[in-house]
Amino acid sequence: MIPNDTKRQKAYDRLRKLATGRIARALDLADEDLMNLSLSQLINLVFLMHGDGGSTGNFNVSFAATLELVGADLIWHDPETEKVAVAQFVQ
């Protein structure tokens, strides 16, 4: 893992931007539509869409390298999104 927190955050931000951009283009979405997904979820989606052709490399190697680079805390980090509370009414 990158020991410098600033560099690690920059790597995370760049990897997230690359994965989000690829998914958004493929699914005709906006980056904002993918903000609630973790980096691990984004990586899985990239491989779901493009992994069968080998154009993205090997999932295990790519995921392990990302995990080694940014660490478990960032790869599994759920971005903070505004959650709307839903009230349930009991009659």
Side-chain angles (χ1 to χ4, degrees):
M1 181 168 57
I2 300 171
N4 181 305
D5 287 342
T6 302
K7 287 183 179 180
R8 193 163 56 100
Q9 184 66 47
K10 282 184 178 182
Y12 167 82
D13 292 341
R14 182 68 179 140
L15 288 168
R16 189 174 171 79
K17 182 177 172 85
L18 289 169
T20 300
R22 192 165 188 174
I23 295 165
R25 285 188 302 277
L27 300 178
D28 195 25
L29 299 171
D31 290 351
E32 295 78 32
D33 296 328
L34 303 167
M35 287 178 51
N36 63 321
L37 300 177
S38 68
L39 179 56
S40 62
Q41 291 171 312
L42 294 172
I43 292 169
N44 275 284
L45 280 174
V46 168
F47 277 88
L48 174 66
M49 294 182 316
H50 301 291
D52 61 338
S55 65
T56 55
N58 179 282
F59 175 80
N60 291 333
V61 174
S62 298
F63 197 87
T66 303
L67 180 60
E68 180 67 28
L69 191 64
V70 302
D73 57 328
L74 285 178
I75 201 167
W76 297 110
H77 172 73
D78 279 332
E80 295 179 23
T81 56
E82 189 174 320
K83 308 241 186 235
V84 178
V86 177
Q88 292 182 339
F89 297 99
V90 179
Q91 291 183 338

